[in-house]
Amino acid sequence: MIILKSRDEIRKMALASRIVGEVLLKLKEATAPGITTDDLNRMADEMIRQKKGVPTFIGYRGYPKALCTSVNEEVVHGIPGKRVLKEGDIIGIDLGVTFEGFVGDSAITVLVGKVSAEVERLVRVTAESLDRAIEMVRVDARLGDVGFAVQSHAEANGFSVVRDFVGHGIGRNMHEEPQVPNFGKPGTGLRIQEGMVLAIEPMVNMGTWETEILKDGWTVVTKDRKWSAHFEHTVACTAEGPIVLTRV
Ligand code: CO
């Protein structure tokens, strides 16, 4: 069942989402060679609680941390730990916050110092593919339009799109219907309605689209270990068009 949100509920979702956006911005500024993924997690946890939010990921299906931190060939759901970031790495930082009963969910991929030109292109194209997808979030557009926006831009640039994980509806729960694939055909799929709130989250790979899960049960990596980038925003569909709730 798809739960449509009223204007008032979207206003509340904007409050949770703003915390997510603000914390991610701080984490981006803090990302540098020499810090660990646990350092980022600790900072996130403190900032969220200071803002009276709750880290949504902690305890979700037993997940232990506030953040997911996915480095280089890790696609999503990397668990923060002792890993030290080094110049040339990229790190996907994914965060969910619950505030007054509603959830916001967003992710960014950050360059650690100077990265190779090809990796920089991967990250830029992934961010662009999310922007293009967001533009499709309009009344009477289709989810296939959203997926096609991501897939066509990524593939035109020689990259591939992950199939095994998709975006999602979001509201009082982090994961609601519908699923939001990052691939599809224009004019197909579910019709987008006013009041839908979607977490759109393209995962784009330099090599194969195929993934596998490491033995920790969480970390998703590319099958060929080539690098991957991930961006996510929580987006509300209104009569006036899309509102990106997690953009600060
Ligand atoms: Co998400």
Side-chain angles (χ1 to χ4, degrees):
M1 187 193 50
I2 294 172
I3 303 169
L4 300 177
K5 279 80 184 176
S6 67
R7 283 175 177 276
D8 204 54
E9 288 169 324
I10 290 173
R11 258 195 296 278
K12 287 185 183 166
M13 291 198 68
L15 299 178
S17 298
R18 176 199 291 251
I19 297 174
V20 176
E22 287 173 348
V23 171
L24 282 179
L25 195 60
K26 292 286 184 197
L27 297 177
K28 179 177 180 177
E29 289 165 6
T31 298
I35 75 160
T36 69
T37 51
D38 244 350
D39 293 334
L40 292 172
N41 185 71
R42 202 172 318 106
M43 292 178 53
D45 206 279
E46 277 172 19
M47 285 189 280
I48 293 162
R49 292 176 200 281
Q50 217 160 34
K51 295 171 189 286
K52 309 294 177 208
V54 175
T56 313
F57 295 178
I58 297 180
Y60 181 84
R61 297 179 179 222
Y63 189 76
K65 301 278 181 161
L67 284 184
C68 297
T69 51
S70 307
V71 181
N72 301 345
E73 75 282 0
E74 297 171 356
V75 178
V76 286
H77 303 167
I79 305 173
K82 293 187 192 338
R83 182 169 185 163
V84 179
L85 297 179
K86 59 178 199 308
E87 178 102 17
D89 286 344
I90 56 172
I91 178 172
I93 306 174
D94 191 347
L95 174 62
V97 170
T98 306
F99 183 78
E100 290 185 357
F102 285 95
V103 183
D105 187 7
S106 180
I108 54 176
T109 295
V110 180
L111 314 181
V112 183
K114 195 162 170 45
V115 308
S116 76
E118 190 60 1
V119 167
E120 192 167 356
R121 195 172 69 87
L122 170 74
V123 174
R124 176 175 55 77
V125 167
T126 309
E128 287 168 356
S129 74
L130 174 55
D131 289 340
R132 288 171 180 232
I134 289 167
E135 273 309 300
M136 297 297 139
V137 178
R138 292 179 186 276
V139 174
D140 285 340
R142 312 283 287 264
L143 282 185
D145 301 332
V146 173
F148 181 77
V150 172
Q151 183 181 13
S152 58
H153 188 56
E155 291 181 354
N157 279 278
F159 301 130
S160 70
V161 163
V162 169
R163 310 298 178 101
D164 304 335
F165 299 86
V166 295
H168 48 94
I170 182 167
R172 290 186 177 275
N173 288 107
M174 175 165 65
H175 292 149
E176 294 184 357
E177 287 179 34
Q179 293 197 352
V180 182
N182 297 299
F183 49 91
K185 292 191 187 358
T188 69
L190 187 83
R191 200 173 290 278
I192 297 172
Q193 297 169 64
E194 185 177 348
M196 277 190 190
V197 183
L198 305 174
I200 307 174
E201 46 180 320
M203 291 146 267
V204 176
N205 298 352
M206 294 188 85
T208 180
W209 57 269
E210 291 173 289
T211 66
E212 57 189 56
I213 299 178
L214 297 184
K215 287 207 190 73
D216 64 13
W218 282 102
T219 310
V220 178
V221 297
T222 59
K223 231 178 197 155
D224 59 11
R225 301 302 191 267
K226 292 186 179 173
W227 291 14
S228 181
H230 176 220
F231 285 85
E232 176 176 19
H233 271 307
T234 295
V235 182
C237 177
T238 74
E240 294 80 42
I243 303 180
V244 185
L245 301 179
T246 41
R247 184 167 277 156
V248 291

